Amino acid sequence: IAAAGRGESQHPLVQVRAVRNQSDHREFTLLDPATGQPRLQFAAVYGFRHLQNLVRKLKSGRSVYHYVEIAACPSACSNGGGQIQPEDPSPGAKKQWVSETERTYATSEVNQLPEQNLGLNELIYDWFGPEGLDSELAKTVLHTQFHGIVAKSNTLGVSW
């Protein structure tokens, strides 16, 4: 999915669409191999402007996704807080590290689909038991839901 999203390869079961020709807001559809119908919907949204638009669409019900990747920085954050940091904390080393990370990301190739990775399958069944990703534990741990926050009414904010 990642390589297809970057435009580096195509897969017959993955559709990628840039929203309004924006590279910082893309939608991915994973098709069911048996029927060819959409099975899962994903979105990748980078930058606050696109993030705000996505939240509005989710709240209004105009968009439904199974998973959304969000980064506050435009073009995502190669140097974000969740990334592995270099051992040398100097600015020069950090800049080189980010450059290498971006180059690795941009030049990586799809060598194996996740479902063909024996090590990944072994890990999944080790964690979630014989049902794998269909187990209740996997559904509990890996699935999330959007929970809207209801604004609190302030009775002291009455206009006199």
Side-chain angles (χ1 to χ4, degrees):
I1 291 177
R6 294 189 305 260
E8 295 170 5
S9 71
Q10 293 184 346
H11 191 281
L13 298 177
V14 178
Q15 295 176 342
V16 181
R17 181 179 80 88
V19 176
R20 291 193 188 108
N21 296 320
Q22 298 286 330
S23 63
D24 282 350
H25 186 174
R26 294 178 314 233
E27 294 179 335
F28 304 85
T29 304
L30 187 62
L31 303 176
D32 187 315
T35 64
Q37 296 298 311
R39 180 77 183 260
L40 296 173
Q41 287 286 127
F42 307 95
V45 181
Y46 309 130
F48 279 116
R49 180 177 51 134
H50 299 295
L51 173 59
Q52 290 170 335
N53 290 336
L54 178 70
V55 169
R56 283 188 203 106
K57 286 181 181 180
L58 291 172
K59 281 184 175 182
S60 69
R62 291 183 300 170
S63 291
V64 177
Y65 298 107
H66 295 93
Y67 179 82
V68 177
E69 175 182 285
I70 297 174
C73 307
S75 301
C77 302
S78 297
N79 191 26
Q83 302 296 327
I84 296 172
Q85 298 296 312
E87 291 180 17
D88 180 358
S90 70
K94 197 164 190 142
K95 187 173 183 176
Q96 181 181 358
W97 180 265
V98 170
S99 180
E100 288 176 18
T101 302
E102 289 175 345
R103 185 175 56 255
T104 301
Y105 181 75
T107 60
S108 63
E109 295 179 23
V110 177
N111 295 323
Q112 189 176 48
L113 295 173
E115 60 269 18
Q116 296 170 337
N117 185 323
L118 298 177
L120 178 60
N121 280 327
E122 184 179 318
L123 185 64
I124 287 170
Y125 288 105
D126 184 46
W127 282 352
F128 301 119
E131 294 179 26
L133 294 177
D134 293 325
S135 72
E136 287 303 314
L137 178 60
K139 291 175 184 174
T140 302
V141 175
L142 300 177
H143 294 211
T144 62
Q145 294 181 353
F146 173 77
H147 300 282
I149 299 173
V150 179
K152 295 179 182 177
S153 61
N154 184 356
T155 57
L156 298 177
V158 177
S159 180
W160 298 96

PDB file of all heavy atoms in Angstrom, residues 115-128:
ATOM      1  N   GLU A 115       0.800 -10.442   3.704  1.00  0.00           N
ATOM      2  CA  GLU A 115       0.222 -11.773   3.895  1.00  0.00           C
ATOM      3  C   GLU A 115       1.158 -12.897   3.448  1.00  0.00           C
ATOM      4  O   GLU A 115       0.946 -14.053   3.762  1.00  0.00           O
ATOM      5  CB  GLU A 115      -1.128 -11.900   3.183  1.00  0.00           C
ATOM      6  CG  GLU A 115      -1.083 -11.683   1.690  1.00  0.00           C
ATOM      7  CD  GLU A 115      -1.314 -10.250   1.263  1.00  0.00           C
ATOM      8  OE1 GLU A 115      -1.187  -9.335   2.090  1.00  0.00           O
ATOM      9  OE2 GLU A 115      -1.609 -10.052   0.080  1.00  0.00           O
ATOM     10  N   GLN A 116       2.232 -12.565   2.718  1.00  0.00           N
ATOM     11  CA  GLN A 116       3.209 -13.554   2.293  1.00  0.00           C
ATOM     12  C   GLN A 116       4.425 -13.617   3.221  1.00  0.00           C
ATOM     13  O   GLN A 116       5.305 -14.439   3.033  1.00  0.00           O
ATOM     14  CB  GLN A 116       3.686 -13.246   0.873  1.00  0.00           C
ATOM     15  CG  GLN A 116       2.593 -13.340  -0.163  1.00  0.00           C
ATOM     16  CD  GLN A 116       3.029 -12.796  -1.501  1.00  0.00           C
ATOM     17  OE1 GLN A 116       3.942 -11.983  -1.589  1.00  0.00           O
ATOM     18  NE2 GLN A 116       2.365 -13.237  -2.546  1.00  0.00           N
ATOM     19  N   ASN A 117       4.470 -12.744   4.205  1.00  0.00           N
ATOM     20  CA  ASN A 117       5.596 -12.673   5.124  1.00  0.00           C
ATOM     21  C   ASN A 117       5.392 -13.688   6.247  1.00  0.00           C
ATOM     22  O   ASN A 117       4.552 -13.489   7.136  1.00  0.00           O
ATOM     23  CB  ASN A 117       5.716 -11.248   5.672  1.00  0.00           C
ATOM     24  CG  ASN A 117       6.922 -11.064   6.534  1.00  0.00           C
ATOM     25  OD1 ASN A 117       7.317 -11.948   7.282  1.00  0.00           O
ATOM     26  ND2 ASN A 117       7.519  -9.892   6.448  1.00  0.00           N
ATOM     27  N   LEU A 118       6.144 -14.768   6.226  1.00  0.00           N
ATOM     28  CA  LEU A 118       5.978 -15.832   7.213  1.00  0.00           C
ATOM     29  C   LEU A 118       6.266 -15.351   8.630  1.00  0.00           C
ATOM     30  O   LEU A 118       5.583 -15.733   9.575  1.00  0.00           O
ATOM     31  CB  LEU A 118       6.877 -17.020   6.867  1.00  0.00           C
ATOM     32  CG  LEU A 118       6.571 -17.698   5.525  1.00  0.00           C
ATOM     33  CD1 LEU A 118       7.575 -18.812   5.259  1.00  0.00           C
ATOM     34  CD2 LEU A 118       5.157 -18.225   5.503  1.00  0.00           C
ATOM     35  N   GLY A 119       7.273 -14.504   8.790  1.00  0.00           N
ATOM     36  CA  GLY A 119       7.603 -13.977  10.115  1.00  0.00           C
ATOM     37  C   GLY A 119       6.478 -13.140  10.683  1.00  0.00           C
ATOM     38  O   GLY A 119       6.142 -13.238  11.868  1.00  0.00           O
ATOM     39  N   LEU A 120       5.850 -12.316   9.842  1.00  0.00           N
ATOM     40  CA  LEU A 120       4.731 -11.485  10.285  1.00  0.00           C
ATOM     41  C   LEU A 120       3.536 -12.356  10.655  1.00  0.00           C
ATOM     42  O   LEU A 120       2.905 -12.146  11.686  1.00  0.00           O
ATOM     43  CB  LEU A 120       4.343 -10.487   9.193  1.00  0.00           C
ATOM     44  CG  LEU A 120       3.163  -9.578   9.505  1.00  0.00           C
ATOM     45  CD1 LEU A 120       3.437  -8.738  10.745  1.00  0.00           C
ATOM     46  CD2 LEU A 120       2.858  -8.695   8.313  1.00  0.00           C
ATOM     47  N   ASN A 121       3.244 -13.355   9.832  1.00  0.00           N
ATOM     48  CA  ASN A 121       2.133 -14.265  10.136  1.00  0.00           C
ATOM     49  C   ASN A 121       2.365 -15.006  11.444  1.00  0.00           C
ATOM     50  O   ASN A 121       1.456 -15.169  12.255  1.00  0.00           O
ATOM     51  CB  ASN A 121       1.908 -15.249   8.986  1.00  0.00           C
ATOM     52  CG  ASN A 121       1.138 -14.622   7.859  1.00  0.00           C
ATOM     53  OD1 ASN A 121       0.282 -13.776   8.086  1.00  0.00           O
ATOM     54  ND2 ASN A 121       1.435 -15.026   6.646  1.00  0.00           N
ATOM     55  N   GLU A 122       3.600 -15.447  11.662  1.00  0.00           N
ATOM     56  CA  GLU A 122       3.935 -16.150  12.904  1.00  0.00           C
ATOM     57  C   GLU A 122       3.722 -15.232  14.108  1.00  0.00           C
ATOM     58  O   GLU A 122       3.164 -15.634  15.126  1.00  0.00           O
ATOM     59  CB  GLU A 122       5.380 -16.633  12.845  1.00  0.00           C
ATOM     60  CG  GLU A 122       5.796 -17.456  14.036  1.00  0.00           C
ATOM     61  CD  GLU A 122       7.237 -17.927  13.917  1.00  0.00           C
ATOM     62  OE1 GLU A 122       7.644 -18.346  12.809  1.00  0.00           O
ATOM     63  OE2 GLU A 122       7.946 -17.862  14.934  1.00  0.00           O
ATOM     64  N   LEU A 123       4.144 -13.993  13.964  1.00  0.00           N
ATOM     65  CA  LEU A 123       3.974 -13.015  15.040  1.00  0.00           C
ATOM     66  C   LEU A 123       2.497 -12.763  15.327  1.00  0.00           C
ATOM     67  O   LEU A 123       2.067 -12.739  16.484  1.00  0.00           O
ATOM     68  CB  LEU A 123       4.674 -11.705  14.655  1.00  0.00           C
ATOM     69  CG  LEU A 123       4.705 -10.603  15.685  1.00  0.00           C
ATOM     70  CD1 LEU A 123       5.500 -11.033  16.907  1.00  0.00           C
ATOM     71  CD2 LEU A 123       5.312  -9.346  15.087  1.00  0.00           C
ATOM     72  N   ILE A 124       1.707 -12.599  14.268  1.00  0.00           N
ATOM     73  CA  ILE A 124       0.265 -12.344  14.432  1.00  0.00           C
ATOM     74  C   ILE A 124      -0.398 -13.502  15.174  1.00  0.00           C
ATOM     75  O   ILE A 124      -1.148 -13.292  16.131  1.00  0.00           O
ATOM     76  CB  ILE A 124      -0.400 -12.116  13.064  1.00  0.00           C
ATOM     77  CG1 ILE A 124       0.002 -10.741  12.522  1.00  0.00           C
ATOM     78  CG2 ILE A 124      -1.918 -12.241  13.152  1.00  0.00           C
ATOM     79  CD1 ILE A 124      -0.397 -10.492  11.086  1.00  0.00           C
ATOM     80  N   TYR A 125      -0.120 -14.746  14.761  1.00  0.00           N
ATOM     81  CA  TYR A 125      -0.747 -15.894  15.406  1.00  0.00           C
ATOM     82  C   TYR A 125      -0.200 -16.128  16.809  1.00  0.00           C
ATOM     83  O   TYR A 125      -0.921 -16.609  17.685  1.00  0.00           O
ATOM     84  CB  TYR A 125      -0.622 -17.138  14.527  1.00  0.00           C
ATOM     85  CG  TYR A 125      -1.522 -17.040  13.317  1.00  0.00           C
ATOM     86  CD1 TYR A 125      -1.005 -16.768  12.057  1.00  0.00           C
ATOM     87  CD2 TYR A 125      -2.902 -17.163  13.449  1.00  0.00           C
ATOM     88  CE1 TYR A 125      -1.835 -16.644  10.958  1.00  0.00           C
ATOM     89  CE2 TYR A 125      -3.736 -17.044  12.355  1.00  0.00           C
ATOM     90  CZ  TYR A 125      -3.208 -16.786  11.110  1.00  0.00           C
ATOM     91  OH  TYR A 125      -4.038 -16.657  10.036  1.00  0.00           O
ATOM     92  N   ASP A 126       1.043 -15.746  17.049  1.00  0.00           N
ATOM     93  CA  ASP A 126       1.614 -15.845  18.388  1.00  0.00           C
ATOM     94  C   ASP A 126       0.915 -14.861  19.323  1.00  0.00           C
ATOM     95  O   ASP A 126       0.606 -15.185  20.464  1.00  0.00           O
ATOM     96  CB  ASP A 126       3.117 -15.579  18.337  1.00  0.00           C
ATOM     97  CG  ASP A 126       3.782 -15.751  19.681  1.00  0.00           C
ATOM     98  OD1 ASP A 126       3.507 -16.762  20.358  1.00  0.00           O
ATOM     99  OD2 ASP A 126       4.579 -14.870  20.063  1.00  0.00           O
ATOM    100  N   TRP A 127       0.660 -13.655  18.836  1.00  0.00           N
ATOM    101  CA  TRP A 127       0.010 -12.625  19.660  1.00  0.00           C
ATOM    102  C   TRP A 127      -1.484 -12.874  19.840  1.00  0.00           C
ATOM    103  O   TRP A 127      -2.016 -12.717  20.924  1.00  0.00           O
ATOM    104  CB  TRP A 127       0.188 -11.249  19.037  1.00  0.00           C
ATOM    105  CG  TRP A 127       1.532 -10.635  19.247  1.00  0.00           C
ATOM    106  CD1 TRP A 127       2.542 -11.079  20.040  1.00  0.00           C
ATOM    107  CD2 TRP A 127       2.016  -9.454  18.625  1.00  0.00           C
ATOM    108  NE1 TRP A 127       3.625 -10.251  19.950  1.00  0.00           N
ATOM    109  CE2 TRP A 127       3.329  -9.233  19.094  1.00  0.00           C
ATOM    110  CE3 TRP A 127       1.492  -8.551  17.724  1.00  0.00           C
ATOM    111  CZ2 TRP A 127       4.105  -8.159  18.696  1.00  0.00           C
ATOM    112  CZ3 TRP A 127       2.258  -7.480  17.324  1.00  0.00           C
ATOM    113  CH2 TRP A 127       3.558  -7.289  17.807  1.00  0.00           C
ATOM    114  N   PHE A 128      -2.167 -13.225  18.748  1.00  0.00           N
ATOM    115  CA  PHE A 128      -3.629 -13.239  18.770  1.00  0.00           C
ATOM    116  C   PHE A 128      -4.255 -14.622  18.744  1.00  0.00           C
ATOM    117  O   PHE A 128      -5.466 -14.754  18.717  1.00  0.00           O
ATOM    118  CB  PHE A 128      -4.166 -12.399  17.609  1.00  0.00           C
ATOM    119  CG  PHE A 128      -3.714 -10.970  17.655  1.00  0.00           C
ATOM    120  CD1 PHE A 128      -2.961 -10.442  16.628  1.00  0.00           C
ATOM    121  CD2 PHE A 128      -4.022 -10.159  18.732  1.00  0.00           C
ATOM    122  CE1 PHE A 128      -2.526  -9.121  16.666  1.00  0.00           C
ATOM    123  CE2 PHE A 128      -3.605  -8.839  18.790  1.00  0.00           C
ATOM    124  CZ  PHE A 128      -2.853  -8.319  17.751  1.00  0.00           C
TER     125      PHE A 128
END
